[in-house]
């Protein structure tokens, strides 16, 4: 660049002429030209300044101070003047613009990091040269900036010198740790934890950690560290500034502190196993994988470190936490060490992966299925599982229930109370995980010996609360659990058997399915997910015509990130569509037990001018296309992220593989895959968003929103309709409700309303005017409807809550709703 050589020559010329005032102006012009970015060959200009004699640098510093105070100087020029001052005034006795420098450093401290080309480390060096310490928030931003891959050696060296505080301020857990660790041994432990920059600890790292553990004591370390981990992920103690184009780092981990978190998990893995430790490590995985807009998971490296720590811990509780996480984690980078850890345990125990996951579920102190009693002095504590929650209740010495924790328990049994509360929370988390695992067993082709099945499922203190609400097949006979025993449809007991399978409605006569629904209702059994009421997707005439693909769920518009998360939960692999020149495979579910691969073809939708994308470049919405099946080892299909035809990626001279005829796909596989896709559309479609009656951005989704929101019912909506036919007569508002076609009609005092059974959207008389009611994220009105045969249908809860509200529309007080009535 000619500029660089020119300014290098100007330095020598101005110094020779003794015109440092002009040199100051020249340097500020150079900074303006390079936008304050002194990277590349521009560093040679700064090197020339550093090489000047002390008297020349002193004169130039005085000139820069004068320019800083000049009326013509703007904010950028003043900032550049401060940076240049820090460079040229090094080792000079004078302290130039100290107040202004401190103000600039304070501004920097509210940033996540600064671009290394700005050479802001010179300001910190100038401040340190005065003998004053840098503010902790300034230390934090320097450390974060120095972690950049392209950080210059000068910034890295400066960060290495800043050894206090041991952690960066700004995160609640770190500030609590700093308050708890005043003595040298604790400071040494925190400093050692912050050196955890690799994927796994080295033997030398472990040896040093072991010595620090010996100095402090294992119990003391565990009791001190675990409360810190409970604070991880809380809002920052002070926010960082955010530019419009940047992701919000306030919701992510401080990367310097994240290294310390990794080190703390490694230290915990060296301590004797303890249930509190495994519980805290599992929670840290969950917290670390929560998504941040524009960044993705908060910190997968911390999550992976916690998984590796769990893998190194012996005992039932660590294995149980690994098994729980394996059912919940969807991030591929963390699933890999999770799967490795469980596979390693299974191999060591001579069991299959499925068996290790079954055996890993602890009882959490339950002494019978769904129940435990604990005597604490004269008081009895009861833990009882009600559906998917554990309730902790109390009885006094007379055996009468009491609403709150008795004072004697708080006073004399504080540790026991803590353990009981922790067990209840653990049960809640494990119940959710096991329910999801069981819901994915329909395609696993699992069979169990009767005795092993009873031990691991039906009679297991925790899993039994789920298994006893499901239907099973024992030696070809369908059974359910009621009145303390397995029973057939005619309530005959079944006391023994050889082989057990999880029952699925595919292949059973409709009359038999309805009969089992009646049986569940007669015994007041609420299933943990749809089983007897599970949708069955049979081939349609259109699919027989297309032969190798289904268009049943094509031409929908889905919210991409919601679809992506839901697909991962259901065992599908998907790649976010970015507005880039790249290709991506379809959403894929691999079915190794069947030798098949299911594909759902999708493409990004960003509007005509690609305006509907996030700041990170991912599409907000997707367009959907075909569902296909291939042999599991067939070459991968892919298409451009922005749209276009899918094609098979052929490598190593492989031949293309045709999609399989749909009529050759086993009916169970076809039904479960299409059910997943129906779920994706039913949850993620923009058509079920009640706020989109205007058609969304530019109104371009108006036609789709109307056709979806009030159109033909999907299979899942049809199942909902069948259930409502049985449910409505029992409601308190039954005389105001009528089911007609696709709608539930509600007769209110102001209007008659029609609620669509698929989308939950509402039309009202006299002219089918749209009524927008946005449901709460967790509607609780379903609890008012009495018995429900299954859990998990959020849209059913939304429809029922809207029906209850509109049936008594004269009592509505919400101004947003009233304005539409």
């Amino acid at each position: 660049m000619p500029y660089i050589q020119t300014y290098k020559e100007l330095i020598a010329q101005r110094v020779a002429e003794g015109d440092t005032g002009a040199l100051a102006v020249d340097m500020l012009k150079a900074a303006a030209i390079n936008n304050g970015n002194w990277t590349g060959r521009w560093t040679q200009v700064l090197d020339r300044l550093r090489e000047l004699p002390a008297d020349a640098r002193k004169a130039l510093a005085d000139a820069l101070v004068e320019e800083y105070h000049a009326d013509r100087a703007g904010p950028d020029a003043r900032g550049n003047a401060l940076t240049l001052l820090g460079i040229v005034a090094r080792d000079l006795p004078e302290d130039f613009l100290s107040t202004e420098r401190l103000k600039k450093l304070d501004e920097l401290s509210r940033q996540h990091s600064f671009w290394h080309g700005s050479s802001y480390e010179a300001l910190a060096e100038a401040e340190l040269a005065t003998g004053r310490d840098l503010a902790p928030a300034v230390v934090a931003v320097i450390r974060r900036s120095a972690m950049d891959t392209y950080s210059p050696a000068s910034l890295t060296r400066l960060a290495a010198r800043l050894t206090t505080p041991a952690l960066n301020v700004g995160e609640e857990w770190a500030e609590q740790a700093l308050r708890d660790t005043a003595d040298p041994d604790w400071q040494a432990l925190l400093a050692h934890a912050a050196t955890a920059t690799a994927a796994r600890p080295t033997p030398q790292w472990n040896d040093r950690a072991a010595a620090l553990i010996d100095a402090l004591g294992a119990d003391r370390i565990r009791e001190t560290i675990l409360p810190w981990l409970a604070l991880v992920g809380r809002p920052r103690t002070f926010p960082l500034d955010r530019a419009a184009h940047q992701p919000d780092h306030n919701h992510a981990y401080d990367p310097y502190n994240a290294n310390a978190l990794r080190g703390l998990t490694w230290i915990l893995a060296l301590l004797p196993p303890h249930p509190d430790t495994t519980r805290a490590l599992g929670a840290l995985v969950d917290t670390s994988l929560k998504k941040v807009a524009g960044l993705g998971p908060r910190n997968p490296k911390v999550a992976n470190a916690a998984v590796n720590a769990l893998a190194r811990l012996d005992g039932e509780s660590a294995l149980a936490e690994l098994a729980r996480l394996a059912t919940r984690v969807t991030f591929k980078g963390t699933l890999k060490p999770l799967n490795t850890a469980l596979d390693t345990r299974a191999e060591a125990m001579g069991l299959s992966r499925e068996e290790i996951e079954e055996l890993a579920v602890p009882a959490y102190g339950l002494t019978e299925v769904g129940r435990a009693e604990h005597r604490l002095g004269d008081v009895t504590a009861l833990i009882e599982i009600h559906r998917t929650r554990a309730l902790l209740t109390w009885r006094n010495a007379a055996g009468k229930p009491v609403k709150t924790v008795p004072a004697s328990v708080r006073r004399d049994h504080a540790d026991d109370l803590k353990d009981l509360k922790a067990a209840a929370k653990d049960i809640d988390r494990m119940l959710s995980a096991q329910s999801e695992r069981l819901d994915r067993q329909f395609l696993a082709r699992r069979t169990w010996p009767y005795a092993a099945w009873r031990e691991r499922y039906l009679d297991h203190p925790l899993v039994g609360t789920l298994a006893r609400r499901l239907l099973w097949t024992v030696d070809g006979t369908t059974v359910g659990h009621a009145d303390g025993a397995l029973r057939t449809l005619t309530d005959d007991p079944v006391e023994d058997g050889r082989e057990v399978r999880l029952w699925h409605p595919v292949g059973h006569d409709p009359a038999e399915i309805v009969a089992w629904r009646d049986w569940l209702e007669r015994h007041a059994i609420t299933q943990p997910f749809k089983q007897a009421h599970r949708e069955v997707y049979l081939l349609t005439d259109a699919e027989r015509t297309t032969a190798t693909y289904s268009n049943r769920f094509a031409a929908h518009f889905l919210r991409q990130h919601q679809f992506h998360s839901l697909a991962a939960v259901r065992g599908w692999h998907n790649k976010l569509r970015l507005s880039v020149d790249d290709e991506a495979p379809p959403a894929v579910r691999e079915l190794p037990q069947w030798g098949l691969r299911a594909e759902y073809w999708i493409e990004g939708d960003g509007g005509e001018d690609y305006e509907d994308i996030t700041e990170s470049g991912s599409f907000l919405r997707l367009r959907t296309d075909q569902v296909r099946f291939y042999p599991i080892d067939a070459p991968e299909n892919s298409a451009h992220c922005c749209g276009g035809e899918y094609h098979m990626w052929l490598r190593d001279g492989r031949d293309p593989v045709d999609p399989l005829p749909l009529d050759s796909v086993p009916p169970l596989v076809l039904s479960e895959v299409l059910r997943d896709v129906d779920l994706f559309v039913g949850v993620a479609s923009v058509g079920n968003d009640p706020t989109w009656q205007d058609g969304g951005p530019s109104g371009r989704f108006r036609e789709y929103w109307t056709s979806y929101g009030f159109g033909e019912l999907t299979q899942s909506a049809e199942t909902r309709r069948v259930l409502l036919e049985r449910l409505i007569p029992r409601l308190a508002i039954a005389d105001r409700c009528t089911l007609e076609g696709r709608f539930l009609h509600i007769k209110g005092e102001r209007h008659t309303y029609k609620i669509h059974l698929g989308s939950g959207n509402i039309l009202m008389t006299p002219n089918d005017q749209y009524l927008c009611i946005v449901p709460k994220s967790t509607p609780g009105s379903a609890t008012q409807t009495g018995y429900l045969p299954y859990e998990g249908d959020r849209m059913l809860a939304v429809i029922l809550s809207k029906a209850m509200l509109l049936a008594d529309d004269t009592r509505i007080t919400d101004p947003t709703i009233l304005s539409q009535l």
Side-chain angles (χ1 to χ4, degrees):
M1 295 175 62
Y3 286 128
I4 296 173
Q5 186 60 36
T6 298
Y7 282 109
K8 287 165 61 178
E9 294 171 354
L10 272 174
I11 292 172
Q13 178 184 335
R14 300 300 192 194
V15 172
E17 295 171 349
D19 193 353
T20 51
L23 178 57
V25 173
D26 292 335
M27 291 300 98
L28 292 175
K29 287 181 178 178
I33 290 172
N34 65 29
N35 293 316
N37 180 5
W38 298 97
T39 54
R41 294 174 62 191
W42 279 106
T43 59
Q44 299 172 16
V45 176
L46 297 183
D47 289 341
R48 290 290 177 90
L49 294 178
R50 294 186 182 97
E51 294 166 359
L52 292 175
D55 58 343
R57 288 189 287 115
K58 168 64 168 63
L60 177 56
D62 290 334
L64 285 169
V65 170
E66 186 176 343
E67 288 298 323
Y68 182 93
H69 290 299
D71 292 339
R72 63 179 176 273
D76 290 341
R78 290 193 177 96
N80 291 330
L82 282 172
T83 301
L84 290 167
L85 265 174
I87 292 168
V88 303
R90 188 166 184 175
D91 301 328
L92 296 179
E94 292 86 355
D95 186 7
F96 298 92
L97 297 180
S98 60
T99 301
E100 292 80 0
R101 182 177 63 243
L102 284 171
K103 182 179 178 181
K104 183 64 177 178
L105 287 171
D106 182 62
E107 293 174 2
L108 291 176
S109 72
R110 294 192 293 274
Q111 297 181 18
H112 176 265
S113 57
F114 55 77
W115 172 240
H116 63 266
S118 63
S119 294
Y120 283 143
E121 65 270 19
L123 301 180
E125 294 280 11
E127 183 64 17
L128 291 171
T130 67
R132 294 188 293 265
D133 292 331
L134 297 175
V138 176
V139 173
V141 74
I142 291 172
R143 286 172 171 168
R144 291 191 294 264
S145 302
M147 295 178 73
D148 187 273
T149 304
Y150 302 102
S151 174
S154 58
L155 182 54
T156 304
R157 287 193 299 268
L158 172 61
R161 288 166 49 200
L162 303 175
T163 57
T164 57
L167 300 173
N168 281 353
V169 296
E171 292 183 317
E172 190 171 342
W173 82 265
E175 294 183 6
Q176 184 62 51
L178 293 174
R179 289 191 290 270
D180 292 344
T181 55
D183 63 76
D185 287 341
W186 273 110
Q187 290 290 311
L189 184 138
L190 282 183
H192 186 57
T195 65
T197 57
R200 288 179 176 81
T202 63
Q204 295 80 7
W205 197 98
N206 282 336
D207 290 343
R208 172 61 176 155
L212 293 167
I213 292 170
D214 289 341
L216 290 165
D219 290 343
R220 182 184 175 195
I221 287 177
R222 183 185 65 253
E223 292 168 1
T224 304
I225 290 178
L226 294 190
W228 302 345
L229 299 190
L231 300 175
V232 173
R234 291 194 178 184
R236 285 182 56 86
T237 57
F238 61 88
L240 298 173
D241 294 338
R242 177 192 179 196
H245 63 283
Q246 291 179 333
D248 192 354
H249 291 283
N250 288 299
H251 299 293
Y253 292 176
D254 184 300
Y256 184 85
N257 289 348
N259 284 339
L261 278 175
R262 294 164 77 183
L264 292 176
T265 68
W266 297 352
I267 290 168
L268 289 172
L270 298 175
L271 305 181
H274 193 282
D276 288 349
T277 300
T278 57
R279 188 179 297 122
L281 289 171
L284 183 61
V285 174
D286 292 332
T287 303
S288 300
L289 293 180
K290 286 184 178 179
K291 299 288 183 66
V292 175
L295 286 174
R298 277 174 167 168
N299 200 296
K301 290 182 179 179
V302 172
N304 293 353
V307 167
N308 289 328
L310 285 167
R312 294 163 62 192
L313 289 171
D314 294 326
E316 178 187 271
S317 62
L319 180 57
E321 198 62 33
L322 288 169
R324 181 191 72 82
L325 290 169
T327 67
R328 308 304 301 271
V329 169
T330 59
F331 182 71
K332 291 181 181 178
T334 304
L335 265 179
K336 183 176 180 180
L338 263 175
N339 288 331
T340 299
L342 285 171
D343 290 343
T344 301
R345 292 284 182 99
E347 183 178 356
M349 298 174 69
L351 300 171
S352 68
R353 168 66 181 273
E354 292 79 8
E355 288 176 307
I356 201 74
E357 289 182 351
E358 292 168 354
L359 294 172
V361 184
Y364 294 113
L366 299 172
T367 53
E368 54 186 292
V369 176
R371 193 175 187 277
E373 289 189 10
H374 300 271
R375 291 286 296 180
L376 304 179
D378 293 334
V379 176
T380 301
L382 285 81
I383 293 183
E384 296 177 297
I385 295 177
H386 292 264
R387 296 186 180 176
T388 55
R389 287 203 61 199
L391 300 180
L392 177 59
T393 57
W394 303 90
R395 291 180 182 172
N396 61 20
K400 294 182 178 180
V402 293
K403 293 183 178 180
T404 59
V405 181
S408 62
V409 173
R410 296 183 184 274
R411 182 184 64 248
D412 302 328
H413 303 278
D415 290 340
D416 294 323
L417 176 60
K418 176 185 174 183
D419 290 342
L420 287 172
K421 289 182 176 180
K425 290 182 179 179
D426 287 343
I427 290 171
D428 286 349
R429 294 194 304 165
M430 185 59 81
L431 277 172
S432 176
Q434 291 303 309
S435 179
E436 291 178 8
R437 183 177 70 86
L438 282 166
D439 195 14
R440 293 201 292 261
Q441 291 298 306
F442 291 109
L443 289 176
R445 307 189 85 171
R446 290 293 309 282
T447 61
W448 295 269
Y450 182 82
W453 170 75
R454 286 208 68 123
E455 177 186 0
R456 300 175 191 175
Y457 286 88
L458 198 70
D459 297 331
H460 187 280
L462 184 143
V463 181
T465 63
L466 301 171
R468 292 184 177 194
R469 294 190 283 141
L470 295 172
L471 301 178
W472 302 86
T473 301
V474 178
D475 297 338
T477 300
T478 304
V479 298
H481 189 275
D483 300 325
L486 289 174
R487 300 185 183 277
T488 65
L489 192 58
T490 56
D491 280 338
D492 297 321
V494 174
E495 298 177 352
D496 203 356
R498 294 183 304 276
E499 183 181 82
V500 181
R501 296 175 181 268
L502 184 62
W503 182 87
H504 191 283
V506 163
H508 294 271
D509 292 334
E512 180 189 356
I513 296 171
V514 171
W516 274 109
R517 292 176 181 177
D518 292 339
W519 184 90
L520 291 168
E521 186 176 331
R522 186 168 70 250
H523 291 286
I525 295 173
T526 298
Q527 297 199 289
F529 47 80
K530 287 184 184 179
Q531 186 190 28
H533 292 77
R534 203 172 188 85
E535 300 82 7
V536 174
Y537 297 78
L538 305 175
L539 277 179
T540 64
D541 291 340
E543 288 162 343
R544 290 188 179 90
T545 300
T546 57
T548 58
Y549 61 89
S550 170
N551 270 331
R552 197 184 306 198
F553 301 103
H556 288 281
F557 294 90
L558 310 184
R559 293 176 287 269
Q560 171 167 217
H561 294 83
Q562 192 172 17
F563 164 78
H564 183 71
S565 298
L566 187 58
V569 168
R570 295 298 302 168
W572 290 68
H573 301 295
N574 181 55
K575 182 178 179 180
L576 282 174
R577 265 50 178 182
L578 304 177
S579 180
V580 294
D581 187 13
D582 192 12
E583 293 203 348
V588 168
R589 183 169 182 182
E590 294 184 342
L591 305 164
Q593 296 89 345
W594 303 85
L596 297 175
R597 182 181 80 222
E599 296 185 353
Y600 189 24
W601 288 9
I602 54 177
E603 63 182 50
D605 180 81
E608 294 183 2
D609 299 317
Y610 290 94
E611 70 274 17
D612 293 345
I613 59 174
T614 67
E615 293 175 350
S616 60
S618 61
F619 289 101
L620 289 173
R621 284 169 285 279
L622 301 170
R623 289 193 298 270
T624 68
D625 203 342
Q626 303 171 5
V627 175
R628 294 190 177 206
F629 292 85
Y630 289 87
I632 195 168
D633 57 353
E636 184 180 73
N637 285 306
S638 64
H640 198 280
C641 290
C642 299
E645 294 292 330
Y646 273 90
H647 54 273
M648 192 162 277
W649 188 13
L650 302 175
R651 294 179 292 178
D652 304 323
R654 298 185 68 182
D655 295 326
V657 175
D658 293 330
L660 296 171
L662 294 181
D663 59 9
S664 71
V665 177
L668 174 61
V669 175
L670 178 71
S671 183
E672 283 297 296
V673 167
L674 292 181
R675 183 178 185 271
D676 276 354
V677 177
D678 192 355
L679 177 68
F680 301 156
V681 173
V683 173
S685 171
V686 302
N688 60 26
D689 187 336
T691 65
W692 274 45
Q693 71 268 26
D694 61 353
S698 304
R700 60 191 181 89
F701 296 101
R702 185 176 293 110
E703 182 177 350
Y704 169 76
W705 185 86
T706 301
S707 64
Y708 179 90
F710 300 104
E712 295 297 324
L713 299 182
T714 63
Q715 190 66 43
S716 60
E718 287 285 359
T719 300
R720 193 174 297 130
R721 187 186 192 286
V722 171
L723 175 59
L724 284 169
E725 286 178 344
R726 302 171 66 96
L727 185 63
I728 285 173
R730 305 172 196 167
L731 299 180
I733 60 170
D735 60 334
R736 292 178 172 268
C737 299
T738 309
L739 272 173
E740 295 183 13
R742 305 188 295 268
F743 296 92
L744 172 61
H745 292 246
I746 309 294
K747 182 173 177 25
E749 295 298 328
R750 299 172 183 266
H751 300 276
T752 296
Y753 308 90
K754 298 192 301 184
I755 306 176
H756 190 262
L757 301 180
S759 66
N761 289 334
I762 307 168
L763 299 175
M764 59 183 178
T765 57
N767 57 351
D768 279 352
Q769 178 182 341
Y770 176 70
L771 174 61
C772 179
I773 299 179
V774 181
K776 295 180 180 179
S777 58
T778 309
S781 56
T783 59
Q784 305 170 12
T785 61
Y787 169 76
L788 290 175
Y790 54 81
E791 298 170 352
D793 187 346
R794 181 178 181 274
M795 185 54 69
L796 175 62
V798 168
I799 291 171
L800 289 172
S801 66
K802 289 182 177 180
M804 296 286 188
L805 177 72
L806 297 173
D808 197 7
D809 56 2
T810 58
R811 300 182 63 182
I812 294 174
T813 58
D814 187 302
T816 303
I817 300 175
L818 285 175
S819 66
Q820 303 174 74
L821 299 180

